[in-house]
């Protein structure tokens, strides 16, 4: 039996869900939420903190700071508690209340940005605040998940090899895009492996990552209002853009089968099923990465009043959800 002394020592990396019976297309969903941080962000958080330590950027007086929509903030709060660091998470009003409470329960602090920056949205405002903190006090060390190469290296070294070992004949890999750390790490690994795996990026409507028009996004996790500096589109074979309504309906369809996943997973699954409906073929081996689980979304994605207030009463037509029909 596993016996650990620190929360970073446990991460279930070999669990997959076969979605074919639920969605009609063969897709294996790699579940990344079974660790003490509850998401794939623990990998990047560990890599970034350990790199900062190795480069002498962290001292006993250091206050780690990061902009996060929730999951990375929780992961860094766990690391800070485990290692004895101070940590400040800069987030905004879209961050799930449960994530904010988790960060605070772990002994870290949360600063909430309430107004978006002109033309750069909430992310731009969060980054402005982080820059001002670091300029005002040298104790603050910004890990900067948006351009830190340790972000993608975590997935180059761990996530992609894990998938390659389990699926040596993989045909297509679906990856949600936020900072694009997971996307770039996995894409680089398979490219350097010489594998013919098709890399399909899944993004949200309203995100500017792949040149789309900026728009309202209420579900945290994927998408961005500032183009990620880590992104190199030459590694990406296809892009699927998913409306938040389809994210919601994919999440509820999974939940009706007993699998409670987060918004990022709903987006990736919806995008993957759309792509497979158009390009899939018999015998194709497909994998999608599920970044987190659904408990942190109970007050949003799984709360009827919240959903209907933002997306209309038809968003939760369960007969249509079960049949995979989008509301008209």
């Amino acid at each position: 039996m596993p016996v650990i002394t620190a929360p970073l020592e446990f991460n279930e990396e070999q669990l997959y869900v076969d979605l074919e019976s639920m969605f009609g297309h063969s897709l294996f969903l790699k579940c990344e939420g079974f660790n003490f941080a509850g998401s794939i962000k623990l990998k990047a958080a560990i890599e970034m903190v350990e790199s900062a330590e190795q480069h002498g950027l962290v001292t006993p007086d250091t206050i780690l700071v990061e902009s996060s929509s929730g999951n990375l903030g929780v992961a860094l709060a766990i690391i800070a508690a485990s290692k004895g660091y101070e940590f400040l998470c800069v987030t905004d009003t879209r961050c799930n209340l449960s994530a904010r409470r988790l960060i605070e329960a772990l002994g870290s602090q949360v600063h909430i940005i309430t107004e978006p920056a002109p033309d750069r949205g909430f992310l731009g405002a969060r980054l402005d605040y982080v820059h001002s903190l670091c300029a005002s006090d040298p104790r603050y060390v910004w890990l900067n998940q948006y351009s830190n190469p340790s972000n993608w290296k975590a997935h180059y070294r761990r996530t992609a090899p894990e998938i390659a070992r389990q699926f040596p004949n993989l045909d297509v890999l679906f990856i949600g895009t936020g900072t694009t750390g997971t996307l770039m790490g996995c894409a680089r690994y398979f490219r350097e492996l010489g594998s013919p795996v098709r890399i399909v990026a899944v993004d949200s409507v309203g995100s500017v990552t792949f040149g789309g028009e900026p728009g309202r996004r209420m579900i945290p996790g994927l998408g961005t209002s500032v183009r990620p500096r880590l992104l190199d589109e030459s590694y990406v074979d296809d892009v699927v853009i998913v409306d938040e309504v389809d994210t919601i309906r994919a999440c509820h369809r999974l939940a009706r089968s007993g699998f409670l996943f987060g918004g990022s997973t709903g987006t990736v699954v919806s995008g993957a099923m759309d792509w497979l409906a158009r390009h899939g073929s018999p015998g194709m081996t497909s994998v999608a990465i599920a970044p987190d689980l659904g408990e942190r979304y109970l007050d949003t994605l799984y709360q009827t009043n919240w959903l209907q207030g933002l997306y209309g009463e038809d968003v939760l037509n369960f007969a249509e959800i079960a049949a995979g029909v989008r509301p008209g």
Side-chain angles (χ1 to χ4, degrees):
M1 65 176 180
V3 177
I4 65 174
T5 58
L8 313 185
E9 296 173 7
F10 173 77
N11 192 2
E12 174 55 62
E13 299 172 336
Q14 299 182 43
L15 179 63
Y16 293 80
V17 178
D18 184 350
L19 298 184
E20 185 168 11
S21 63
M22 284 173 264
F23 289 87
H25 295 286
S26 179
L27 180 68
F28 295 98
L29 189 63
K30 187 179 193 303
C31 301
E32 289 281 353
F34 292 98
N35 56 55
F36 283 93
S39 81
I40 196 171
K41 289 292 190 178
L42 182 62
K43 292 177 178 177
I46 292 171
E47 193 84 16
M48 290 191 296
V49 171
E50 290 183 348
S51 176
E53 290 173 333
Q54 291 165 8
H55 287 87
L57 301 177
V58 180
T59 71
D61 294 328
T62 291
I63 304 172
L64 299 175
V65 61
E66 185 56 274
S67 159
S68 169
S69 60
N71 281 339
L72 182 67
V74 172
L76 287 170
I78 284 175
I79 294 172
S82 177
K83 290 176 173 285
Y85 297 140
E86 288 189 62
F87 169 58
L88 171 63
C89 179
V90 179
T91 188
D92 59 63
T93 54
R94 297 169 302 174
C95 178
N96 293 324
L97 179 60
S98 59
R100 285 155 45 188
R101 286 177 172 170
L102 265 173
I103 293 167
E104 291 171 338
L106 290 160
S108 294
Q109 296 182 327
V110 177
H111 180 85
I112 302 170
I113 299 295
T114 58
E115 294 294 332
D119 303 322
R120 296 184 302 130
F122 277 108
L123 177 55
R126 280 161 33 188
L127 296 181
D128 288 345
Y129 184 80
V130 171
H131 282 297
S132 67
L133 275 181
C134 294
S136 66
D137 190 333
R139 292 178 301 165
Y140 286 102
V141 173
W142 181 27
L143 295 169
N144 193 359
Q145 63 167 324
Y146 308 100
S147 62
N148 190 330
S150 293
N151 185 346
W152 67 260
K153 287 178 181 178
H155 305 289
Y156 178 91
R157 293 170 177 166
R158 294 184 60 180
T159 309
E162 291 159 13
I163 295 169
R165 284 194 296 269
Q166 298 298 322
F167 297 91
N169 298 313
L170 182 64
D171 294 303
V172 58
L173 178 61
F174 299 95
I175 308 170
T177 58
T179 64
T180 69
T182 308
L183 174 67
M184 298 314 303
C186 290
R188 282 188 168 94
Y189 178 86
F190 283 107
R191 177 75 61 85
E192 293 181 16
L193 192 65
S195 169
V197 174
R198 195 166 187 84
I199 302 295
V200 179
V202 182
D203 199 15
S204 302
V205 171
S207 169
V208 305
T209 300
F210 294 98
E213 288 294 320
R216 184 190 76 168
R217 292 177 295 106
M218 299 304 298
I219 300 172
L222 299 187
T224 183
S225 55
V226 178
R227 181 179 167 86
R229 293 181 62 185
L230 294 177
L231 177 62
D232 182 343
E233 291 188 53
S234 69
Y235 287 93
V236 179
D237 296 301
D238 282 308
V239 178
V240 180
I241 308 297
V242 176
D243 191 287
E244 286 192 333
V245 168
D246 295 319
T247 292
I248 293 160
R249 292 166 76 81
C251 285
H252 281 265
R253 197 170 177 187
L254 287 161
R256 291 291 158 152
S257 294
F259 294 102
L260 196 72
F261 284 105
S264 299
T265 299
T267 303
V268 173
V269 169
S270 179
M273 291 305 165
D274 176 57
W275 191 95
L276 290 169
R278 292 181 286 116
H279 305 293
S281 59
M284 177 178 283
T285 301
S286 305
V287 169
I289 297 175
D292 61 0
L293 302 177
E295 289 91 343
R296 291 174 195 168
Y297 300 81
L298 292 176
D299 292 330
T300 53
L301 272 174
Y302 298 101
Q303 213 284 330
T304 301
N305 292 339
W306 188 87
L307 290 174
Q308 291 182 340
L310 289 170
Y311 304 98
E313 294 186 2
D314 291 339
V315 71
L316 290 182
N317 185 320
F318 289 112
E320 291 183 352
I321 289 173
V325 177
R326 193 183 190 280

